[in-house]
């Protein structure tokens, strides 16, 4: 978590993550982050201390309307199936299990495209470093007029 959020190597009592704290990535480029003190200034919805999700199928931040402890409970509740509905394809579990640490899946046509929304199973997927998955999503979001900001260092 320290590396992903660029914590200073030496203790600095005045340091804090400016936009919030990245607490998780999913293999297709989704980012779970805890909002910092001024989410609007960081381009994120929701209130300070609430969880947000950068959705790779829309390239936008979404408010999750829960804090970190609520998010952890939600992760363990079995509701991920509903959350990821539309972003899973036949065989996704096997593809995910085959990834090495630090890898994600490059999906083409991109998850935010009409083609992927129409038939996700027909997309091509390839293991790549997670930083590439996040970098492509951030670049396209900026090109579409919405800078997602910091998505974590991986």
């Amino acid at each position: 978590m320290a590396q992903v959020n660029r914590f200073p190597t030496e203790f600095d009592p005045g340091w804090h993550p400016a936009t919030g704290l990245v607490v998780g990535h999913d293999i297709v480029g989704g980012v779970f982050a805890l909002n910092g003190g001024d989410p609007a200034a960081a381009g994120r919805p929701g209130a300070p201390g609430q969880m947000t999700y950068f959705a790779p199928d829309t390239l936008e931040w979404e408010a999750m309307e829960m804090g970190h402890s609520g998010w952890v409970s939600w992760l363990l509740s079995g509701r991920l199936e509903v959350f990821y509905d539309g972003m899973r394809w036949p065989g996704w579990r096997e593809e995910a299990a085959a990834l090495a640490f630090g890898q994600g899946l490059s999906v083409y046509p991109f998850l935010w495209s009409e083609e992927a929304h129409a038939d996700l199973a027909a997309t091509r997927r390839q293991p790549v470093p997670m930083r590439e998955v996040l970098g492509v999503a951030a670049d396209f979001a900026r090109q579409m007029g919405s800078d997602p900001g910091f998505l974590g260092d991986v």
Side-chain angles (χ1 to χ4, degrees):
M1 186 174 278
Q3 177 184 343
V4 168
N5 286 284
R6 297 181 183 155
F7 284 22
T9 54
E10 298 292 324
F11 176 71
D12 177 357
W15 181 88
H16 61 77
T19 60
L21 193 65
V22 173
V23 296
H25 293 111
D26 60 38
I27 64 167
V28 291
V31 180
F32 293 96
L34 185 63
N35 271 337
D38 190 356
R44 294 185 184 165
Q50 283 188 332
M51 291 298 300
T52 55
Y53 177 69
F54 178 74
D57 59 337
T58 64
L59 300 179
E60 296 178 0
W61 285 101
E62 300 172 356
M64 297 191 72
E65 300 178 2
M66 64 182 83
H68 185 264
S69 61
W71 176 72
V72 171
S73 294
W74 172 79
L75 286 175
L76 301 172
S77 73
R79 289 182 270 175
L80 286 175
E81 294 296 324
V82 173
F83 183 77
Y84 282 110
D85 186 42
M87 284 200 295
R88 291 186 170 167
W89 55 90
W92 72 268
R93 286 183 196 272
E94 293 78 14
E95 288 182 50
L99 294 173
F101 184 76
Q103 284 188 315
L105 287 175
S106 171
V107 179
Y108 188 83
F110 300 111
L111 287 173
W112 58 88
S113 71
E114 289 180 24
E115 296 86 357
H117 283 266
D119 189 1
L120 187 57
T123 60
R124 290 184 311 230
R125 296 165 302 277
Q126 177 177 336
V128 297
M130 192 63 190
R131 71 179 171 281
E132 290 181 25
V133 175
L134 295 173
V136 167
D139 287 346
F140 272 97
R142 284 186 210 101
Q143 290 175 33
M144 296 173 162
S146 177
D147 186 350
F150 183 68
L151 299 177
D153 269 349
V154 290

